[in-house]
Amino acid sequence: MDQPTITEQLETPAEAREAGRKKIAWARQHMPIMTAIAEEFGAERPLEGETVAMAMHVEAKTAVLTEVLAEAGAEVAITGCNPLSTHDGVSAALDAHERITSYAKHDVDDEAYYAAMEATLDHGPTVTVDDGGDLVMAIHEDRPELLDSVVGGCEETTTGVHRLRAMDDDGALNYPMFAVNDTPMKRLFDNVHGTGEATLSNVAMTTNLSFAGKTVVVAGYGYCGRGVAKKAAGQNADVVVTEVEPRRALEAHMEGYEVCPMAEAAERGDIFVTTTGNRDVVTAEHVERMDDGVVLANAGHFNVEIDLDGLNDLAESRREVRDGVEEFRMPDGRRINVLADGRLVNLASPVAMGHPVEVMDQSFGIQAVCVRELVDGDGYDPGVHEVPDELDREVAEIKLAAEGVEIDELTDAQREYMDSWQHGT
Ligand code: NAI
């Protein structure tokens, strides 16, 4: 394998490792679900003999998942799923683990990014764990010889699940994939609260500007959008929502937000956050209508939601005005500020730490039990699969116990009543 690991690429790997270890230890300390799963996996070693390939945002919480899979007996090879979201120290700390090899490096060019992906696949995975579907795509398109040994995979995010469903519809998905994103313990917390909190805090930290008194335009009122909208309103911003789906638009309207097309919102917003998973949501046409000084941020998976080429064509000049803030100056003097190169701001801005730890404890708890299910379960056909409900419940129960929250249990009479169609008048 020619591709250097992170350790081979860093000038002072020991220092980086130390900083990374601290971040991982802090995260792990606040992840009761992963702690409980680690205990079980450490004792039972369900992944003995397996090789897990991961393409994820390589930061502290992901590192805990990676370690737990290794502690379950797997060999793990990991790389990034975004050129800007890797924390090199965390990556180096992982690489020092005897069962983990990390190729993830921050701020690499496209060639190095894909070479790292290739090197990860060179380990010959039996399970893949993706955030955005990159490993699955690479295996199907470039490395079909690996299909024989892969028993299945897990997908973390909405955009990845969309891509997998499109593959599945075309009959092109040749191994089973769990749509981890779509399960309640992930989507109702990670996408809503995680993206909401992390996006706003990263916009605030990157710009040092306030939300109060501003108009925040949220493009897309899906799981992520509703989190961003709610938290922005909670910080005293006026929120305007744009949508293309009538029921989602109506939901936003009934929630009390103003809903209008982007062409109109463009004239009103101070801060724009895209959360659609789509492309060209903010275009040059919209920018033409924007005020001087607006801030554009993306929280969707790929950096195509803001049309940066269109913006570049309009601009007379561009320059970095703060770490993570690029100013595009228009010929009429207006300044349009783009955060984190239009990449998902909560993971790719210079101060980014990703979602809060507690939220990722849930998401990665689901990932861990899904990996166990792929190798231990009854076997799944190729295609996209929902996470089995009992796995989602298992993780919820661990979390409730950790939080010290008790809930009622159905009585036999209640269970019978709920299952019956004959009771009632
Ligand atoms: P979702 O499917 O629930 O919501 C997306 C919404 O955007 C839908 O309501 C859709 O109708 C709307 N939309 C699509 N095109 C639009 C357009 N041109 N203008 C306005 N609205 C439009 O998806 P979810 O779960 O909210 O995810 C959104 C994106 O965020 C995905 O790319 C996902 O992978 C990513 N994501 C990012 C995270 C982060 O850490 N920043 C965390 C979780 C997901």
Side-chain angles (χ1 to χ4, degrees):
M1 284 171 220
D2 299 335
Q3 179 65 16
T5 64
I6 181 72
T7 309
E8 290 155 352
Q9 293 182 63
L10 292 176
E11 275 174 26
T12 52
E15 251 171 59
R17 224 166 17 235
E18 198 39 46
R21 270 208 196 100
K22 269 194 196 162
K23 288 185 185 175
I24 299 170
W26 173 261
R28 195 159 179 157
Q29 187 188 329
H30 294 90
M31 296 176 89
I33 299 171
M34 293 308 286
T35 303
I37 291 173
E39 266 172 36
E40 179 207 312
F41 280 16
E44 295 175 11
R45 309 273 290 177
L47 305 184
E48 199 78 64
E50 306 294 335
T51 301
V52 180
M54 303 173 70
M56 309 284 283
H57 300 292
V58 181
E59 48 76 60
K61 288 87 72 185
T62 311
V64 175
L65 171 64
T66 313
E67 286 181 349
V68 170
L69 297 179
E71 289 160 22
E75 294 288 334
V76 187
I78 184 165
T79 187
C81 67
N82 181 299
L84 292 183
S85 63
T86 294
H87 291 209
D88 283 345
V90 169
S91 182
L94 282 179
D95 197 45
H97 190 291
E98 58 169 352
R99 305 179 77 82
I100 300 171
T101 310
S102 180
Y103 299 99
K105 170 107 175 53
H106 182 77
D107 203 8
V108 288
D109 61 20
D110 280 2
E111 195 185 335
Y113 179 78
Y114 287 110
M117 191 92 48
E118 281 293 309
T120 303
L121 291 178
D122 286 342
H123 289 254
T126 54
V127 175
T128 58
V129 181
D130 262 313
D131 187 325
D134 286 341
L135 291 175
V136 179
M137 306 300 147
I139 289 176
H140 283 75
E141 285 172 3
D142 309 322
R143 306 286 297 270
E145 75 281 3
L146 294 174
L147 287 169
D148 287 342
S149 53
V150 178
V151 295
C154 302
E155 171 53 52
E156 171 78 5
T157 199
T158 313
T159 287
V161 172
H162 277 176
R163 296 171 94 190
L164 291 172
R165 289 200 197 284
M167 278 178 91
D168 203 6
D169 289 347
D170 285 349
L173 181 58
N174 292 316
Y175 64 82
M177 286 294 304
F178 277 129
V180 169
N181 176 76
D182 293 359
T183 201
M185 279 297 283
K186 197 277 181 183
R187 182 153 70 177
L188 299 180
F189 301 90
D190 177 316
N191 300 30
V192 179
H193 296 284
T195 310
E197 284 189 27
T199 299
L200 290 200
S201 59
N202 275 284
V203 170
M205 286 189 295
T206 309
T207 61
N208 199 206
L209 299 175
S210 160
F211 290 103
K214 294 219 173 51
T215 298
V216 174
V217 176
V218 181
Y221 196 71
Y223 289 91
C224 295
R226 68 183 70 134
V228 173
K230 190 180 176 78
K231 314 263 174 189
Q235 298 218 29
N236 297 354
D238 284 329
V239 174
V240 175
V241 169
T242 73
E243 251 298 342
V244 292
E245 211 285 326
R247 289 153 302 180
R248 292 264 169 103
L250 195 54
E251 220 184 315
H253 173 67
M254 300 293 267
E255 225 20 80
Y257 304 122
E258 190 168 347
V259 179
C260 65
M262 182 56 89
E264 214 176 293
E267 292 176 357
R268 313 255 296 284
D270 301 302
I271 297 172
F272 294 75
V273 182
T274 53
T275 66
T276 69
N278 207 341
R279 57 176 298 169
D280 306 331
V281 178
V282 172
T283 63
E285 238 170 79
H286 301 135
V287 169
E288 298 264 38
R289 294 165 171 250
M290 289 178 183
D291 281 342
D292 177 33
V294 298
V295 169
L296 308 185
N298 169 44
H301 189 75
F302 286 117
N303 60 337
V304 293
E305 305 217 7
I306 301 166
D307 175 14
L308 292 173
D309 291 340
L311 184 51
N312 185 52
D313 291 345
L314 280 186
E316 197 174 70
S317 63
R318 50 196 282 189
R319 66 185 177 125
E320 189 178 65
V321 284
R322 262 177 83 83
D323 228 13
V325 185
E326 191 169 21
E327 173 196 279
F328 291 70
R329 190 175 275 264
M330 301 296 123
D332 61 7
R334 284 175 309 130
R335 291 156 298 184
I336 309 292
N337 298 300
V338 176
L339 306 193
D341 296 342
R343 294 190 184 276
L344 70 185
V345 68
N346 58 315
L347 282 147
S349 81
V351 289
M353 289 177 284
H355 283 10
V357 178
E358 298 91 331
V359 163
M360 295 319 295
D361 190 27
Q362 294 188 197
S363 302
F364 289 154
I366 299 286
Q367 286 281 8
V369 295
C370 281
V371 172
R372 182 192 64 195
E373 175 70 10
L374 283 168
V375 300
D376 258 11
D378 294 338
Y380 290 82
D381 292 333
V384 179
H385 295 267
E386 300 297 333
V387 173
D389 202 47
E390 64 272 16
L391 297 187
D392 202 60
R393 276 173 169 270
E394 176 186 337
V395 174
E397 279 162 8
I398 301 173
K399 177 72 174 178
L400 280 179
E403 296 278 313
V405 177
E406 291 182 21
I407 59 173
D408 288 322
E409 269 182 46
L410 288 174
T411 63
D412 290 343
Q414 285 174 328
R415 205 182 304 277
E416 193 197 329
Y417 177 81
M418 296 298 280
D419 289 344
S420 165
W421 53 272
Q422 286 167 319
H423 290 296
T425 51

